Amino acid sequence: MSLLVQKYGGTSVGTVEKIQAVADKVAAVKRSGDDIVVVVSAMSGETNRLVALANEMQENPEPREMDVLLSTGEQVTIALLCMALKARGCDARSYTGTQVKILTDESHTKARIQSIDEHNIKTDLNSGCVVVVAGFQGADQHGSITTLGRGGSDTTAVALAAALKADECQIYTDVDGVYTTDPRVEPNACRLDKITFEEMLEMASLGSKVLQIRAVEFAGKYNVPLRVLHSFQEGPGTLITLDEESNTMEQPIVSGIAFNRDEAKVTVRGIPDTPGVASKILAPIGEANIEVDVIVQNTAADNTTDLTFTVNRGDMEKAESVLIEATKELGVQEIVTDDSIVKVSIVGVGMRSHAGVAATMFKTLADENINIQMITTSEIKISVIVEDRYLELAVRSLHEAFGLDKKD
Ligand code: ADP
Ligand code: ASP
Ligand code: MG
């Protein structure tokens, strides 16, 4: 007998029929003798609908109220799934994050899980119940509802699997595993049987939303066996593994290509080139809670410098107004913003032991006439910023150049 945590994403519970199909699956697992905790997302489109409603009420709704609102989406699906399970003769009990006692910090809309009280869940499992938990939510020490950031149901599932020492955490979604790149952009993408935590962390942080980055971090930290599978098609899916050595023999140099459309660029031109200017520009951005990603500084012959950095697209206008204020005394020439950029990245632990990977990447993009605006590298990834209209072309040509295309 195993203990499984299964998570079903929004598209997998997007209609009454799909919730019933999930109930059929879960009831079958239960009948086969395994214990099962199910985590569900809101029905697809529901969280976006709630965000849109909030924006009609107020320009910048308070994060605390956002969380009260957004957590309702998952509350609907846990109750419906329990009803469907009971209709199949399978005893089931639903829990919101607050009811479980998923304790988080107080960062509304992007809270982090601090602890989970597994007592009630264990009691229910022991009495033969299927436990159904609302993803994406918890409560802080004052009892206020919090949410874990978009895609956060993945993290709920992994955290529960860690707390309950489950045999496997299975993330069921609308693709049958983790692919070499998003199969919706590159139809020649291949499903990976395995991917290391390290690579999956990079892929997730560079924009592959198949798993939320915090879920991968959690699984790596607590050694949770994690697998991505298709909700309604049989198959082995993709195992996220710690085991880097076992497949080094045929380890490809590049394992995957990630991209992020949610990028914008801010350039401050003609800054007097003196010590401390980068800090004078970036410190107020940090203080305004804006995350900065890629940074490039160029020095001109006339003792001035240009500083360019990228932020999430939604933060671009805020960054611009913060900078207009912050650079008043500095005497800069101009501040320019551009939200028609994307970031494309190649990822692979095999890059550690191979030279020339960057050269291949840059030549591939040059051959397609794609101009690289910014570059950033780490041991196992190279990212470039390019104009957004080149996204598909860049992903597909790199996919082919690094030998990732499906071989039929
Ligand atoms: P869910 O609602 O089940 O959480 P998501 O939409 O969050 O599903 O994540 C699944 C989607 O992730 C897929 O439909 C796919 O378009 C996208 N995706 C991006 N990169 C990858 C990748 N490398 N492998 C598989 N899917 C990917
Ligand atoms: N419903 C939330 C979202 O759309 C959480 C999740 O689906 O994981 O982001
Ligand atoms: Mg998701």
Side-chain angles (χ1 to χ4, degrees):
M1 193 182 79
S2 311
L3 169 59
L4 301 176
V5 175
Q6 296 193 334
K7 177 254 170 176
Y8 292 88
T11 45
S12 310
V13 292
T15 61
V16 165
E17 292 72 25
K18 285 190 174 169
I19 294 175
Q20 288 169 334
V22 167
D24 284 335
K25 237 183 111 153
V26 171
V29 172
K30 182 69 201 158
R31 272 197 300 273
S32 76
D34 288 333
D35 278 340
I36 175 164
V37 174
V38 185
V39 174
V40 280
S41 293
M43 293 168 85
S44 55
E46 178 62 9
T47 310
N48 288 344
R49 188 184 75 89
L50 295 169
V51 170
L53 283 179
N55 289 333
E56 281 190 42
M57 295 301 141
Q58 200 184 359
E59 208 173 303
N60 276 315
E62 249 180 53
R64 184 184 180 282
E65 301 312 326
M66 274 314 265
D67 280 349
V68 173
L69 179 70
L70 296 189
S71 61
T72 61
E74 274 71 9
Q75 192 168 335
V76 170
T77 41
I78 52 170
L80 293 178
L81 180 59
C82 281
M83 291 170 193
L85 283 166
K86 284 177 201 240
R88 282 156 181 76
C90 180
D91 202 7
R93 196 137 192 244
S94 69
Y95 284 88
T96 63
T98 313
Q99 286 172 323
V100 173
K101 291 206 183 76
I102 297 183
L103 181 71
T104 72
D105 63 16
E106 293 167 35
S107 323
H108 284 287
T109 74
K110 45 177 186 274
R112 280 184 184 265
I113 296 177
Q114 291 176 330
S115 67
I116 291 183
D117 180 351
E118 70 277 9
H119 180 76
N120 291 335
I121 296 183
K122 279 192 172 151
T123 309
D124 286 341
L125 289 174
N126 288 339
S127 70
C129 244
V130 170
V131 174
V132 181
V133 179
F136 174 58
Q137 55 181 268
D140 68 14
Q141 56 170 336
H142 310 293
S144 296
I145 297 173
T146 52
T147 62
L148 310 178
R150 297 305 301 267
S153 300
D154 297 339
T155 304
T156 305
V158 174
L160 278 168
L164 296 164
K165 302 193 178 50
D167 294 286
E168 191 163 275
C169 179
Q170 303 174 331
I171 305 290
Y172 284 95
T173 182
D174 57 1
V175 279
D176 64 349
V178 178
Y179 275 68
T180 44
T181 193
D182 188 339
R184 297 187 203 290
V185 166
E186 171 52 279
N188 284 317
C190 299
R191 184 182 58 78
L192 300 162
D193 285 328
K194 284 185 186 181
I195 182 168
T196 65
F197 275 108
E198 205 182 2
E199 288 170 321
M200 194 63 237
L201 259 184
E202 286 287 0
M203 292 280 280
S205 77
L206 295 167
S208 300
K209 65 167 186 168
V210 61
L211 282 175
Q212 199 203 33
I213 180 166
R214 285 190 184 165
V216 188
E217 275 169 6
F218 227 102
K221 190 164 167 198
Y222 295 99
N223 212 349
V224 177
L226 180 62
R227 194 182 288 275
V228 176
L229 304 119
H230 196 290
S231 299
F232 305 117
Q233 288 168 16
E234 289 298 313
T238 300
L239 183 69
I240 324 297
T241 164
L242 276 175
D243 180 16
E244 197 177 301
E245 276 83 39
S246 76
N247 48 10
T248 39
M249 288 304 285
E250 61 273 45
Q251 185 70 56
I253 300 170
V254 171
S255 301
I257 316 240
F259 56 83
N260 190 357
R261 292 188 168 95
D262 182 25
E263 298 269 348
K265 190 172 75 169
V266 181
T267 303
V268 187
R269 275 201 227 290
I271 318 161
D273 193 12
T274 52
V277 284
S279 139
K280 282 199 183 112
I281 288 170
L282 293 174
I285 296 287
E287 279 154 24
N289 228 343
I290 299 172
E291 271 178 49
V292 171
D293 184 13
V294 187
I295 306 172
V296 169
Q297 187 180 350
N298 294 318
T299 308
D302 62 352
N303 278 339
T304 66
T305 180
D306 293 349
L307 189 79
T308 304
F309 57 91
T310 62
V311 296
N312 291 336
R313 228 172 251 190
D315 285 335
M316 186 184 81
E317 279 167 22
K318 188 168 159 202
E320 186 179 17
S321 45
V322 166
L323 283 182
I324 291 173
E325 208 35 54
T327 56
K328 268 187 184 151
E329 316 278 282
L330 273 180
V332 304
Q333 279 160 15
E334 62 174 340
I335 298 169
V336 189
T337 56
D338 179 0
D339 62 0
S340 59
I341 56 152
V342 290
K343 185 167 69 176
V344 178
S345 311
I346 57 174
V347 175
V349 288
M351 281 163 63
R352 280 201 183 108
S353 47
H354 284 82
V357 183
T360 307
M361 181 181 196
F362 303 155
K363 169 138 194 349
T364 305
L365 296 173
D367 288 348
E368 299 292 347
N369 253 327
I370 301 172
N371 188 40
I372 300 173
Q373 302 183 13
M374 298 166 90
I375 301 169
T376 165
T377 67
S378 80
E379 234 193 341
I380 66 160
K381 70 121 203 278
I382 303 172
S383 301
V384 294
I385 300 289
V386 299
E387 209 180 314
D388 57 1
R389 66 189 163 121
Y390 293 125
L391 174 85
E392 277 84 6
L393 183 59
V395 169
R396 289 183 193 151
S397 55
L398 291 169
H399 198 266
E400 192 189 351
F402 286 102
L404 299 174
D405 277 6
K406 217 180 324 199
K407 296 163 190 75
D408 19 43

